[in-house]
Amino acid sequence: MIDLLSGLDAWVLISLFFALAFVLAFEFINGFHDTANAVATVIYTKAMPPHLAVFFSGVFNFLGVLLGGVGVAYAIVHLLPVELLVNVNTGHGLAMVFSLLAAAITWNLGTWYFGIPASSSHTLIGSILGVGLANALISGIPVSDGVNWQKAIDIGASLVFSPMAGFLVAGLVLLALKWWRPASKMHKTPDQRRKMDDKKHPPFWNRLVLVISAMAVSFVHGSNDGQKGIGLIMLVLIGIVPSAFVLDLNSTTYQIERTRDATLHLSQFYERNNASLAEFLALGKSVKGDLPDQFSCNPQQTEPTIAALLTSLKGVADYHSIPAEKRIEIRRYLLCLDDTAKKVSKLPALDSREKADLEKLRKDLTATTEYAPFWVILAVALALGLGTMVGWKRVVKTIGEKIGKQGMTYAQGMAAQITTAFAIGMANIFALPVSTTHILSSGVAGTMVANKSGLQGGTIKTILMAWVLTLPATIALSATLFWLASKALA
């Protein structure tokens, strides 16, 4: 990394340092903000002592980030429109990153301080949407183009439906446990266990399941939420020092060949579907501007873009051999071709087999642009893991006692945690960011309803208010900050 940053101006290095510190601060806060969601049940049910639960939760969060990949990271990044991603201007990148992080950190700290199980995922996504919308208004482009709305809809659907699924599935799991073992001690609360059996801890097997499922929640939380920090750091690096990070400079010759082959196959794909795509892509026609300019992409410039990319990659075996400005150009070509391919895949003229082929080509196209250096992953893993080890007390009591009118039973804790781990694990497979907070809180609420324990209206109202207000509040805050920052830089 040191050699990549050598030769940078002092102010750029200082800006980079503060931007990275901001991202890692967000991940640290995310850790202690969301810790209680992973350890609330094992602490409340006394399956593990608080210090051990928090320590091992931090370890499994750390491992989750290290092993989680980057699919969710770039799902977050691509909430921004491709036009904003190809604009790799240092000042612009700084304004974007500081605005969205300041908004996200402010909201996270506020909800944590009041002990409200609010979602860091909602917070970050709202902040990104605010920057995208503000950029559209400042740049004079249509608001409909200011955000990647298709990606926003996909992520929004996952954020809305995952808590509903958590509520329903956790409730059904509890009913299954009650049907299977109706007289089991797992249906007691910790208070009942202490008064009736004079035992402090859950029965052995229930305790084992509670501990394992809590660590599973910690792991999938790290692999999902940690990737958001990875995506943010890549935005910082590409925005501030683009020449070093727009392409994965550690790409092997084989990976570069795969990118070149994908470009060639993409050209053949469009030729094969000429009849249905000729008008949309202006195939065989001369287009004004010829190549995508520095700040926008045009599907009708696809053919010259493919030709320019193939020329740029001809004979290249190592990205280090390409001049810095040329790397930025190559990334712009790749992003624009990927964006166009994504739009083409939505056209009704293509059959499902062709769309599947196009999806595979897109993955190969972006293989050397959607990456993260190991030191980035390690830094985020450490920040999230260390953050997990503090700040848990404010939310544990809310999860354990204030959602239902009665305390949580061991079976309820198991049902909620197993459901949460499974739901987030599935989201990771499909590269969708979800909220650990909302899935677990909804799962606990579902078990309370299934157990006929009733719900505490005040707590549920507070959680729902945070759920409803998070997006508009963070959108407004980050948009305002970005507008002010852009004016200061103008």
Side-chain angles (χ1 to χ4, degrees):
M1 179 188 173
I2 302 296
D3 59 319
L4 293 174
L5 302 181
S6 61
L8 294 178
D9 292 339
W11 78 271
V12 175
L13 281 173
I14 293 169
S15 300
L16 179 61
F17 172 80
F18 279 109
L20 293 177
F22 247 57
V23 177
L24 295 177
F26 171 78
E27 279 304 311
F28 183 83
I29 292 166
N30 186 5
F32 73 68
H33 188 274
D34 284 3
T35 301
N37 303 299
V39 299
T41 51
V42 287
I43 292 176
Y44 180 76
T45 57
K46 300 198 169 40
M48 289 182 82
H51 64 283
L52 275 183
V54 172
F55 173 76
F56 281 107
S57 179
V59 170
F60 278 89
N61 265 288
F62 176 84
L63 293 173
V65 180
L66 281 188
L67 303 175
V70 295
V72 174
Y74 281 92
I76 289 288
V77 169
H78 287 297
L79 272 173
L80 295 168
V82 69
E83 286 77 15
L84 202 53
L85 295 177
V86 299
N87 181 6
V88 286
N89 171 279
T90 299
H92 199 263
L94 281 173
M96 175 177 67
V97 170
F98 280 119
S99 300
L100 68 89
L101 283 173
I105 288 172
T106 300
W107 187 259
N108 260 1
L109 283 177
T111 51
W112 166 81
Y113 181 79
F114 290 104
I116 301 169
S119 165
S120 295
S121 299
H122 268 101
T123 301
L124 180 58
I125 289 165
S127 300
I128 292 174
L129 293 178
V131 166
L133 292 172
N135 180 70
L137 295 173
I138 292 168
S139 305
I141 63 175
V143 171
S144 58
D145 296 331
V147 170
N148 184 343
W149 289 109
Q150 184 56 56
K151 179 62 72 174
I153 290 169
D154 292 343
I155 291 174
S158 72
L159 288 171
V160 169
F161 289 114
S162 55
M164 295 180 183
F167 180 92
L168 180 63
V169 174
L172 291 174
V173 170
L174 180 67
L175 290 175
L177 290 173
K178 289 172 77 73
W179 172 80
W180 177 50
R181 300 286 299 275
S184 172
K185 294 177 181 178
M186 66 179 165
H187 300 297
K188 293 180 179 180
T189 67
D191 282 345
Q192 290 170 339
R193 170 85 164 155
R194 187 166 52 252
K195 290 175 182 176
M196 298 170 66
D197 302 332
D198 196 27
K199 296 285 181 70
K200 182 179 179 181
H201 302 296
F204 175 78
W205 289 110
N206 303 144
R207 189 177 185 181
L208 184 64
V209 172
L210 282 165
V211 170
I212 292 173
S213 59
M215 295 309 105
V217 171
S218 297
F219 181 85
V220 294
H221 171 262
S223 62
N224 196 280
D225 275 40
Q227 288 191 53
K228 296 158 193 171
I230 292 169
L232 287 173
I233 287 185
M234 293 312 296
L235 277 179
V236 167
L237 295 174
I238 291 168
I240 298 177
V241 278
S243 60
F245 295 99
V246 285
L247 298 174
D248 183 1
L249 297 180
N250 292 319
S251 297
T252 63
T253 302
Y254 171 73
Q255 290 171 315
I256 297 171
E257 288 285 351
R258 268 182 67 191
T259 302
R260 183 163 46 241
D261 289 345
T263 308
L264 186 59
H265 288 307
L266 186 67
S267 177
Q268 294 168 351
F269 178 92
Y270 290 147
E271 288 175 15
R272 187 167 70 245
N273 292 278
N274 185 288
S276 54
L277 300 177
E279 185 176 351
F280 182 73
L281 300 176
L283 299 177
K285 297 178 183 177
S286 176
V287 179
K288 185 179 179 181
D290 198 29
L291 289 172
D293 64 34
Q294 194 172 353
F295 306 118
S296 66
C297 298
N298 181 356
Q300 296 195 329
Q301 294 170 323
T302 295
E303 278 188 319
T305 303
I306 288 174
L309 181 57
L310 288 172
T311 300
S312 299
L313 293 177
K314 187 175 181 180
V316 174
D318 186 342
Y319 279 143
H320 286 94
S321 65
I322 303 174
E325 287 303 315
K326 200 68 178 175
R327 291 178 209 154
I328 295 172
E329 252 182 29
I330 288 172
R331 177 177 181 269
R332 186 164 78 249
Y333 297 157
L334 287 168
L335 287 181
C336 286
L337 288 177
D338 177 59
D339 186 62
T340 296
K342 180 172 58 180
K343 291 173 181 174
V344 168
S345 68
K346 307 292 185 208
L347 298 176
L350 293 180
D351 60 35
S352 58
R353 184 176 176 179
E354 292 284 54
K355 288 181 179 181
D357 283 349
L358 192 57
E359 189 63 28
K360 292 173 185 174
L361 286 175
R362 285 185 61 207
K363 287 181 180 177
D364 283 344
L365 269 179
T366 57
T368 58
T369 59
E370 295 189 356
Y371 76 102
F374 178 72
W375 67 265
V376 170
I377 297 171
L378 183 62
V380 171
L382 284 170
L384 187 65
L386 291 172
T388 298
M389 296 181 187
V390 300
W392 52 272
K393 290 184 179 179
R394 288 185 181 271
V395 184
V396 165
K397 196 173 179 70
T398 299
I399 297 289
E401 295 182 356
K402 294 186 178 180
I403 290 179
K405 291 183 177 179
Q406 298 177 18
M408 182 194 302
T409 66
Y410 304 128
Q412 286 177 274
M414 291 189 295
Q417 284 190 163
I418 290 169
T419 300
T420 302
F422 179 77
I424 301 173
M426 291 300 294
N428 288 342
I429 291 172
F430 293 100
L432 289 170
V434 290
S435 167
T436 306
T437 303
H438 289 155
I439 296 175
L440 184 65
S441 300
S442 299
V444 171
T447 64
M448 291 294 176
V449 171
N451 201 43
K452 298 180 181 178
S453 303
L455 298 173
Q456 291 195 36
T459 302
I460 299 300
K461 183 179 178 181
T462 301
I463 293 174
L464 286 175
M465 283 291 287
W467 189 81
V468 170
L469 291 177
T470 293
L471 278 180
T474 50
I475 287 172
L477 185 55
S478 66
T480 302
L481 291 173
F482 183 70
W483 181 82
L484 292 171
S486 298
K487 289 294 182 184
L489 290 169

